[in-house]
Amino acid sequence: MIVICDREDSGRARSLRERIFRRGIPAATAAPAFVKDLLPAVGIVTWTDCFDELRRTPCDHVFAAVIGDGFVNTALNAASAGTGDDALRLMSMNAAKKFDLPPDSADAFGFYLAPRLYFAEGFVEWRERQIVLTKTERMILLYLAACQGEPAPALKVARFCFPEGRQEGELDNRIAAHIHRVNRKFLPAADFRVIREKRGAGYFADGRLLSWI
């Protein structure tokens, strides 16, 4: 959902990713050359000393929030952010624009990603039905819904939705188990699997989850 771009083995990128992750927002880190492998994304957070390198990669179509005091050319689909918190506010504004949501789509308790899909801490509300999810289940659903139907393999899901120390091992089985539980919990509210799998490509959120109807 959010890609944090910095040079290899960046402590500031890992620290910012942890802050975002603690808020329940899927995020992954990557060096500029590898950001494209993590798309689609709601946006990219980077720093002024890394921004030029990022924009030399095929990611110009993705909005970037750039932390630091250096000049940021807004014509490059970017905006300046003084701090990490400023960058997150820009990401929130960009997400509302990307998903065509009104300015009041977020409140003190959570946010809408679609007209009938509301994310709060500990649960998701869909069509006025509340579904209680674990933090990991909620993160996976949020990430796949934000991808808007583009499949993501298990490794990519883990990069965004698992803590840094748990992104190895039997990822296929672990991701599949989480997704099975999400689908099972949605059964009382939906007559379809809200997360589906495309063989050889990965998992994706069913479009009906994001519809107006």
Side-chain angles (χ1 to χ4, degrees):
M1 188 167 180
I2 296 176
V3 178
I4 304 163
C5 173
D6 203 3
R7 295 180 179 86
E8 295 284 356
D9 198 29
S10 164
R12 64 184 179 181
R14 292 198 305 272
S15 175
L16 181 58
R17 193 260 178 179
E18 179 60 26
R19 286 173 56 197
I20 295 172
F21 193 83
R22 284 200 302 267
R23 298 186 185 188
I25 305 298
T29 62
F34 300 104
V35 168
K36 64 182 184 299
D37 299 330
L38 293 175
L39 301 182
V42 169
I44 301 168
V45 177
T46 189
W47 285 263
T48 51
D49 57 288
C50 195
F51 180 59
D52 288 343
E53 189 175 347
L54 169 67
R55 279 302 183 240
R56 288 194 291 269
T57 69
C59 302
D60 290 6
H61 62 291
V62 184
F63 173 76
V66 188
I67 302 171
D69 298 327
F71 171 74
V72 176
N73 187 347
T74 56
L76 295 177
N77 194 19
S80 179
T83 66
D85 287 337
D86 293 334
L88 293 183
R89 281 190 285 273
L90 288 172
M91 288 291 109
S92 178
M93 294 168 58
N94 185 63
K97 180 179 178 181
K98 180 180 176 68
F99 296 109
D100 196 26
L101 296 170
D104 60 351
S105 58
D107 57 32
F109 305 102
F111 57 89
Y112 284 92
L113 193 71
R116 296 186 176 221
L117 181 62
Y118 180 80
F119 286 86
E121 185 174 353
F123 70 91
V124 169
E125 188 175 283
W126 184 65
R127 293 185 175 178
E128 301 181 351
R129 297 285 296 272
Q130 191 177 107
I131 297 100
V132 176
L133 300 176
T134 67
K135 180 177 180 179
T136 301
E137 291 164 359
R138 178 188 174 280
M139 294 265 276
I140 291 172
L141 181 65
L142 175 55
Y143 169 64
L144 293 176
C147 287
Q148 295 186 300
E150 183 164 331
L155 177 59
K156 196 172 178 181
V157 175
R159 288 280 302 276
F160 280 90
C161 303
F162 281 7
E164 187 173 338
R166 296 186 57 227
Q167 297 176 4
E168 299 177 354
E170 295 294 328
L171 292 177
D172 288 337
N173 291 338
R174 287 159 56 197
I175 295 292
H178 285 298
I179 287 173
H180 173 75
R181 288 192 287 270
V182 171
N183 283 329
R184 186 185 65 202
K185 290 179 178 181
F186 263 84
L187 276 177
D191 58 356
F192 61 92
R193 287 181 295 145
V194 295
I195 300 178
R196 307 178 71 86
E197 183 178 9
K198 184 176 182 180
R199 188 177 296 275
Y203 298 99
F204 64 97
D206 191 294
R208 287 170 286 184
L209 190 67
L210 305 174
S211 71
W212 288 82
I213 302 171

